[in-house]
Amino acid sequence: MTKLEGNERWKTKMTTPEFADTYEAVQDKSGQHSLTDQERLMVRDAIIMPHLVTMLGKTIKDVEQSGNLLSRAYSIAGRFIEKRVSADLYQLRRDLQQRNIRIAPEAEEDSIPQYKVFCRGQQERMGLTREAIRVDMSRRLTQYHSELAALMKENMKLDKTPAGRNG
């Protein structure tokens, strides 16, 4: 038995008023530790985009193996979209890392993939249904298709030369 174990004063914490004020101020800011709506969307995208990259890779491989006349053009367009998705995913992961947010897959519950999200010292669970993943993948893919179409349309405008002039 040490000297302090028998002393009742050491069983409770004694704090100075300055420390108590600081502690309360930190506790008031504890809402900053949880995910914001924007961060939740970022986490959702970080979960969905790897699935999109995988799906694009498989589709590109299928197109390249098909005997389609335009398979090369489809493959090039698919590779372009795959590169854009991969670049966006890379940037998203960097942003999450800067915000001190990590995502870890967890076991499925009732056919819903679960993920642990570690955000600035706190842990949350997030689950996405397969249908929600498909819908969001479709929405994102449509955005990338629109971007590719706009680039192609712009390129077609630049390639047009007046009839009398050649390069």
Side-chain angles (χ1 to χ4, degrees), residues 26-36 39 119-120 122:
V26 168
Q27 291 301 316
D28 290 342
K29 294 179 182 176
S30 65
Q32 293 178 349
H33 291 291
S34 62
L35 290 170
T36 64
E39 291 170 340
C119 175
R120 295 179 285 274
Q122 291 189 345

Side-chain angles (χ1 to χ4, degrees), residues 8-17 19-20:
E8 294 296 318
R9 280 192 302 164
W10 293 101
K11 286 188 176 179
T12 62
K13 289 184 179 178
M14 305 276 301
T15 60
T16 63
F19 179 78

Side-chain angles (χ1 to χ4, degrees), residues 35 39 42-43 46-47 91-103:
L35 290 170
E39 291 170 340
M42 291 171 68
V43 167
I47 291 170
Q91 184 62 43
L92 181 62
R93 285 180 176 162
R94 287 188 60 195
D95 291 345
L96 288 173
Q97 185 178 18
Q98 288 175 349
R99 294 171 187 242
N100 198 16
I101 299 173
R102 290 185 306 115
I103 304 166

Side-chain angles (χ1 to χ4, degrees), residues 47 102-107 114-118 124 126:
I47 291 170
R102 290 185 306 115
I103 304 166
E106 208 175 44
Q114 298 290 323
Y115 299 88
K116 282 185 182 178
V117 180
F118 300 95
E124 292 185 25
M126 179 181 276

Side-chain angles (χ1 to χ4, degrees):
M1 180 176 196
T2 65
K3 291 182 183 179
L4 295 179
E5 286 178 11
N7 190 342
E8 294 296 318
R9 280 192 302 164
W10 293 101
K11 286 188 176 179
T12 62
K13 289 184 179 178
M14 305 276 301
T15 60
T16 63
E18 296 84 20
F19 179 78
D21 292 341
T22 304
Y23 180 77
E24 288 173 2
V26 168
Q27 291 301 316
D28 290 342
K29 294 179 182 176
S30 65
Q32 293 178 349
H33 291 291
S34 62
L35 290 170
T36 64
D37 290 340
Q38 179 188 6
E39 291 170 340
R40 284 187 201 286
L41 290 174
M42 291 171 68
V43 167
R44 181 183 173 120
D45 288 344
I47 291 170
I48 291 171
M49 289 175 78
H51 295 291
L52 186 57
V53 171
T54 303
M55 185 186 78
L56 285 168
K58 288 179 182 177
T59 303
I60 291 167
K61 189 181 286 185
D62 290 345
V63 166
E64 288 173 346
Q65 292 175 354
S66 74
N68 192 331
L69 181 64
L70 294 174
S71 63
R72 178 147 168 79
Y74 294 152
S75 176
I76 291 170
R79 293 274 177 223
F80 173 82
I81 291 172
E82 184 181 37
K83 280 184 180 182
R84 293 287 299 150
V85 173
S86 295
D88 288 350
L89 179 58
Y90 176 77
Q91 184 62 43
L92 181 62
R93 285 180 176 162
R94 287 188 60 195
D95 291 345
L96 288 173
Q97 185 178 18
Q98 288 175 349
R99 294 171 187 242
N100 198 16
I101 299 173
R102 290 185 306 115
I103 304 166
E106 208 175 44
E108 289 188 10
E109 278 184 22
D110 300 327
S111 308
I112 299 174
Q114 298 290 323
Y115 299 88
K116 282 185 182 178
V117 180
F118 300 95
C119 175
R120 295 179 285 274
Q122 291 189 345
Q123 176 182 330
E124 292 185 25
R125 289 184 69 202
M126 179 181 276
L128 294 173
T129 62
R130 295 188 191 286
E131 185 175 322
I133 291 172
R134 281 190 203 108
V135 167
D136 207 35
M137 283 174 55
S138 175
R139 180 185 58 81
R140 278 201 157 277
L141 196 55
T142 301
Q143 289 173 348
Y144 288 112
H145 284 164
S146 299
E147 181 182 329
L148 177 62
L151 285 172
M152 290 174 71
K153 194 179 248 186
E154 182 66 28
N155 194 23
M156 286 177 22
K157 286 180 186 176
L158 294 175
D159 285 345
K160 288 184 180 179
T161 57
R165 290 180 20 191
N166 287 333

